[in-house]
Amino acid sequence: MSGDDKVSVSQTENVYDKPRRGKIVNHCKRFWWVHLIVCICVIVLAVCLVIFVGVPKIAQSKLDAADLSIDGIVVTNTQSQNFSMAINSTIRTDGSVHANIDGFVGDMYLEDLQPHTPFASITFPATTSEALQVVNVSQFIPIENMAAFTTFNTWLQNNDSLRVTVSGNTYVHVSGISKAFPVTFIKTVTMPGLRGFNGTTVTDSAISLTPDANGDNFKGFVTIPNYSIVTFEIGNASFHNYLLGEEIGTVYVDNIVLRPGIAVNNFSMHANISQGPVLTALGDKPYCQNGGVIPFQLRGKTVVNHGQPLSYYADALATANQTVELPIGGDLKALNLVIPCGGLGGSSSSSSTSSAASSSSTSH
Ligand SMILES: *[C@@H]1O[C@H](CO)[C@@H](O)[C@H](O)[C@H]1NC(C)=O
Ligand SMILES: *[C@@H]1O[C@H](CO)[C@@H](O)[C@H](O)[C@H]1NC(C)=O
Ligand SMILES: *[C@@H]1O[C@H](CO)[C@@H](O)[C@H](O)[C@H]1NC(C)=O
Ligand SMILES: *[C@@H]1O[C@H](CO)[C@@H](O)[C@H](O)[C@H]1NC(C)=O
Ligand SMILES: *[C@@H]1O[C@H](CO)[C@@H](O)[C@H](O)[C@H]1NC(C)=O
Ligand SMILES: *[C@@H]1O[C@H](CO)[C@@H](O)[C@H](O)[C@H]1NC(C)=O
Ligand SMILES: *[C@@H]1O[C@H](CO)[C@@H](O)[C@H](O)[C@H]1NC(C)=O
Ligand SMILES: *[C@@H]1O[C@H](CO)[C@@H](O)[C@H](O)[C@H]1NC(C)=O
Ligand SMILES: *[C@@H]1O[C@H](CO)[C@@H](O)[C@H](O)[C@H]1NC(C)=O
Ligand SMILES: CC(=O)N[C@H]1CO[C@H](CO)[C@@H](O)[C@@H]1O
């Protein structure tokens, strides 16, 4: 302490004139305990500053530097007003700070849509600061903002990728310090989207000239590519069916549960389609020349899961047309019906594609 005293004395020398020097030394000798108290106060203040300002800042910056990745999202038990959501995620840190983070409610919203409006709130469990932390949550979610959840589904469906932010306030506990410090958990993750179901195909299709008891005249299987990491329980969906801009029927796809994985998204479909416009198209180029592969547009109409209408999927599916090519010509050929270029033009059917096509090509 005496060394410190000398320093403080020599500093004061410059400030005050010499006659006061003895006074000051005396003062210091008498009031050394004041200096001690000041010293202690300064140290305590410094420690407090480090603990209450420095540590929270470090804790917050470590949290900000951590990386969140979402490995899977599973949405099941979808009902009109609620659903169950499970998320598998991983938090990676550099592991240099030993801290525990309290559980918290994280709001999820689309990062690229203002104003930021949560479409779901997830309760995250308490975590530690281990370098690699697996966080899997599963919970029941009442839909609090239907418009926001529908918009999330729309972006997920139509976009190649989308950015989702998880944000919540929580507390961090640093080992050795009993006080908990408030921090904000805010992370943006980029998720692959479903790309408008681009690449959807129909296989094993069959056509009938007279509708069955259900009113259907077309059946098949639809295969939807999985570009995303989501599993969605959707249910029974119906679609407006357009041909060359004209609505010609309704397509139904049954028991849809969309999953990531190879060839897992294969669902039965059936449809009632007006035959007139289809037969007309089959007689036009290029469809009379490409084997009768016709592009149809599908746009979402209704979604019902175990009796519950799901507007948040139906409205998302209604935002875009998905083009699906159907091998109608091939299906008709199986019924011994081949439409030549220029149309049937009175002759009901023909048994050979090439002869029919060549005979009709002279009709102009
Ligand atoms: C999380 O991982 C487990 C085990 O691999 C898996 O069974 C579950 O379906 C996954 N859940 C999500 C939401 O991805
Ligand atoms: C979930 O929503 C459905 C209506 O869609 C309602 O009948 C049901 O009671 C809700 N479940 C809970 C637990 O709130
Ligand atoms: C949590 O998710 C990860 C990643 O999907 C998975 O490997 C792990 O098995 C899951 N754990 C549990 C308990 O579900
Ligand atoms: C995602 O898709 C929606 C419409 O489906 C569009 O309005 C939005 O701009 C897209 N966002 C991004 C980031 O691509
Ligand atoms: C669909 O995918 C194909 C092949 O990947 C691509 O060429 C095409 O542009 C995509 N269409 C849309 C509408 O994204
Ligand atoms: C879908 O296609 C139909 C027929 O071409 C058109 O009338 C409708 O506006 C399209 N809808 C969207 C959302 O693109
Ligand atoms: C298809 O069936 C639906 C429901 O029964 C009906 O409303 C619609 O008019 C039918 N469309 C055609 C083209 O038959
Ligand atoms: C879809 O499933 C049906 C019935 O299980 C099967 O016959 C068909 O080959 C499958 N299609 C594809 C592309 O896997
Ligand atoms: C879809 O519709 C069929 C026939 O009406 C029904 O048997 C089935 O339970 C429905 N599936 C769902 C998931 O609602
Ligand atoms: C079209 C597509 O993206 N398919 C992917 C489906 O999921 C499996 C496994 O998750 C991938 O290997 C495929 O590439």
Side-chain angles (χ1 to χ4, degrees):
M1 282 309 286
S2 64
D4 285 346
D5 279 354
K6 265 181 194 163
V7 171
S8 70
V9 166
S10 67
Q11 280 172 343
T12 50
E13 255 179 356
N14 298 330
V15 181
Y16 300 106
D17 45 0
K18 278 190 176 171
R20 292 182 66 181
R21 183 188 167 169
K23 254 188 171 179
I24 288 160
V25 170
N26 251 352
H27 172 94
C28 287
K29 277 182 179 160
R30 275 184 64 193
F31 294 102
W32 60 270
W33 50 273
V34 173
H35 288 261
L36 184 63
I37 288 172
V38 168
C39 242
I40 288 169
C41 284
V42 166
I43 289 169
V44 167
L45 194 68
V47 169
C48 286
L49 271 177
V50 166
I51 290 179
F52 293 104
V53 179
V55 171
K57 271 205 168 145
I58 291 170
Q60 181 70 60
S61 72
K62 286 289 171 193
L63 194 56
D64 290 345
D67 181 63
L68 173 73
S69 65
I70 290 184
D71 308 312
I73 296 181
V74 175
V75 174
T76 48
N77 297 322
T78 44
Q79 303 191 51
S80 298
Q81 299 297 330
N82 51 57
F83 56 88
S84 298
M85 185 186 253
I87 297 184
N88 285 355
S89 66
T90 313
I91 299 176
R92 289 179 183 81
T93 66
D94 63 9
S96 65
V97 168
H98 293 281
N100 292 323
I101 300 163
D102 283 356
F104 66 98
V105 175
D107 286 335
M108 297 175 75
Y109 53 83
L110 288 171
E111 176 64 23
D112 297 311
L113 185 66
Q114 297 287 348
H116 288 157
T117 313
F119 59 82
S121 295
I122 297 281
T123 303
F124 284 89
T127 52
T128 66
S129 58
E130 276 165 44
L132 196 147
Q133 181 99 115
V134 171
V135 182
N136 296 356
V137 294
S138 176
Q139 72 186 70
F140 172 80
I141 298 191
I143 301 172
E144 266 148 31
N145 189 327
M146 185 62 78
F149 187 52
T150 303
T151 303
F152 164 70
N153 287 327
T154 304
W155 283 41
L156 181 70
Q157 170 194 298
N158 293 339
N159 297 6
D160 286 3
S161 69
L162 64 163
R163 297 201 299 160
V164 173
T165 298
V166 180
S167 162
N169 295 321
T170 183
Y171 289 91
V172 64
H173 301 264
V174 180
S175 56
I177 303 170
S178 61
K179 187 184 156 50
F181 305 107
V183 285
T184 301
F185 182 96
I186 180 160
K187 297 277 158 225
T188 300
V189 297
T190 301
M191 282 172 51
L194 294 164
R195 304 189 191 186
F197 305 119
N198 186 11
T200 295
T201 55
V202 170
T203 59
D204 306 272
S205 61
I207 208 163
S208 59
L209 296 177
T210 48
D212 65 7
N214 222 1
D216 298 323
N217 55 13
F218 184 87
K219 286 188 172 60
F221 289 90
V222 58
T223 300
I224 302 173
N226 63 294
Y227 293 104
S228 196
I229 52 167
V230 297
T231 300
F232 275 5
E233 181 180 330
I234 294 176
N236 287 342
S238 72
F239 296 84
H240 299 275
N241 189 5
Y242 302 101
L243 172 60
L244 305 172
E246 186 193 349
E247 181 157 8
I248 58 153
T250 308
V251 167
Y252 303 86
V253 183
D254 305 318
N255 300 311
I256 305 176
V257 179
L258 215 55
R259 293 188 175 87
I262 298 157
V264 288
N265 296 307
N266 174 18
F267 311 107
S268 63
M269 66 165 285
H270 52 103
N272 64 343
I273 298 171
S274 301
Q275 290 179 14
V278 176
L279 294 178
T280 304
L282 282 170
D284 288 340
K285 289 175 185 170
Y287 313 118
C288 59
Q289 292 169 329
N290 73 357
V293 177
I294 299 189
F296 289 86
Q297 269 83 46
L298 298 184
R299 187 168 68 84
K301 195 173 182 180
T302 62
V303 173
V304 179
N305 191 26
H306 300 299
Q308 299 246 339
L310 306 183
S311 70
Y312 46 87
Y313 288 144
D315 291 350
L317 289 168
T319 61
N321 284 316
Q322 168 59 45
T323 298
V324 178
E325 300 200 315
L326 297 187
I328 299 285
D331 292 337
L332 283 176
K333 201 175 169 188
L335 298 175
N336 266 338
L337 180 65
V338 173
I339 317 282
C341 284
L344 290 173
S347 73
S348 56
S349 73
S350 156
S351 55
S352 152
T353 320
S354 51
S355 67
S358 57
S359 67
S360 67
S361 63
T362 57
S363 65
H364 277 281

